[in-house]
Amino acid sequence: FGVLSLIGYLIAVVGEVVTCVASGTESGTAFHRFLELCDFGIKDGEGIEGELRAFVSDGRLSPEQLDLLKVERLVKILNMPAFSALGGAQLWREREFLCSLPADIVFDGAPAEESVLVQGAIDLLAVTAEGVFIIDYKLVRLSTEALKAKYSRQLNLYKSAVARIMKVDERTIQARIIDLRHLKEIIV
């Protein structure tokens, strides 16, 4: 390799990495958008294809996002237990919140008598006869253990915020990570 060849090779490799990262982010956005719009009761390929066509037709999903979504994967996702239990549930999708929480649950070592303003967006909040569920979608290349370790604190803060806002006992709220890459549910 000459210096120019090496530089050209590195640019090509870096370009591929950047493209992969961008398409990973774009894929995550596409999945989030679909799950924000879809009818969780439609679980078959034909029904999902119809929804996708309608979402693109009316501009709620871009053609580029459609290209990143595979119907077979969406069928598997929507047939996961977390989504199967949503029949009759009251749903809030991409629900933003702003809530004051005790500082000690937000920051280690902070005084409990202090308050901290916490802001977030819950991918899916469902209230069913069985209780309140917080569902967070992730499309990352992490193991189940790493996902749980990385996002447990976030979901526990979401549970505290939802409990305070909805005036329910935090122990009755269940939080789950939906690992869209590996098609797994992780209870937090």
Side-chain angles (χ1 to χ4, degrees):
F1 275 110
V3 173
L4 290 178
S5 295
L6 182 58
I7 291 171
Y9 173 76
L10 290 174
I11 289 171
V13 170
V14 169
E16 278 185 39
V17 171
V18 170
T19 301
C20 288
V21 170
S23 67
T25 301
E26 291 164 2
S27 292
T29 301
F31 276 105
H32 269 81
R33 184 66 177 146
F34 172 77
L35 291 165
E36 181 182 359
L37 299 170
C38 76
D39 177 344
F40 291 116
I42 297 175
K43 299 184 180 299
D44 63 285
E46 187 176 317
I48 292 169
E49 284 177 2
E51 279 195 310
L52 289 169
R53 281 192 303 275
F55 298 155
V56 172
S57 174
D58 65 17
R60 292 185 287 166
L61 192 70
S62 73
E64 294 79 16
Q65 288 174 317
L66 176 64
D67 289 343
L68 297 170
L69 299 171
K70 303 295 176 237
V71 171
E72 304 79 31
R73 179 165 282 285
L74 295 175
V75 167
K76 290 176 183 175
I77 289 168
L78 291 178
N79 281 287
M80 293 174 76
F83 297 115
S84 296
L86 297 178
Q90 189 172 10
L91 303 175
W92 291 272
R93 301 175 197 221
E94 300 299 326
R95 184 64 176 197
E96 294 181 3
F97 67 87
L98 185 63
C99 181
S100 177
L101 294 175
D104 65 331
I105 67 168
V106 179
F107 301 110
D108 293 330
E113 59 278 356
E114 300 277 329
S115 292
V116 175
L117 204 54
V118 175
Q119 179 179 351
I122 298 171
D123 293 338
L124 180 63
L125 177 64
V127 178
T128 70
E130 290 77 38
V132 178
F133 297 87
I134 296 170
I135 299 174
D136 195 47
Y137 316 130
K138 300 294 181 197
L139 183 68
V140 293
R141 288 186 165 95
L142 294 175
S143 68
T144 298
E145 297 76 24
L147 263 173
K148 192 170 185 176
K150 183 171 183 175
Y151 294 106
S152 287
R153 186 175 189 110
Q154 170 195 345
L155 288 173
N156 285 326
L157 287 173
Y158 284 10
K159 285 171 67 173
S160 296
V162 167
R164 182 164 288 208
I165 292 165
M166 295 183 77
K167 298 178 179 21
V168 297
D169 185 341
E170 188 174 329
R171 294 171 294 190
T172 66
I173 301 171
Q174 296 181 42
R176 288 188 168 85
I177 296 169
I178 302 299
D179 179 351
L180 299 170
R181 182 171 305 283
H182 301 107
L183 300 173
K184 292 183 179 179
E185 282 184 40
I186 304 163
I187 297 173
V188 176

